[in-house]
Amino acid sequence: MTVDRDVVPEHDRAPAGEVSTATLVAYAVAGVVLFGWFLFGWLVLRQGFVNSVGETAGAGFALLLVIAVVGTVRRSRR
């Protein structure tokens, strides 16, 4: 027996919805853009492989932060 079975009734749980096609397309576009950003920094700017990976990772984490904030704002309006 777990605590959440006693505290949270079944009707209060939010159903797990399917991921929309627009969300999947947005994730694919973001991945392609981040990969392009990596290639641009590495091959065009010639800033080095490790620096390009670090810059791309930073941009990816910033994008994830923006997605989390937007998701939180949208969920709080419901």
Side-chain angles (χ1 to χ4, degrees):
M1 178 183 296
T2 61
V3 175
D4 58 66
R5 289 188 189 266
D6 296 335
V7 175
V8 180
E10 289 296 321
H11 66 276
D12 285 345
R13 293 185 187 190
E18 294 182 13
V19 178
S20 69
T21 305
T23 302
L24 291 177
V25 169
Y27 287 156
V29 167
V32 168
V33 167
L34 285 174
F35 184 68
W37 186 252
F38 163 74
L39 289 177
F40 178 75
W42 186 35
L43 300 174
V44 176
L45 297 179
R46 299 194 182 276
Q47 63 184 6
F49 181 80
V50 175
N51 287 339
S52 294
V53 169
E55 187 173 335
T56 302
F61 286 130
L63 183 61
L64 287 175
L65 179 64
V66 168
I67 291 170
V69 169
V70 168
T72 300
V73 169
R74 288 184 65 200
R75 186 165 293 158
S76 69
R77 289 186 179 180
R78 290 183 193 174

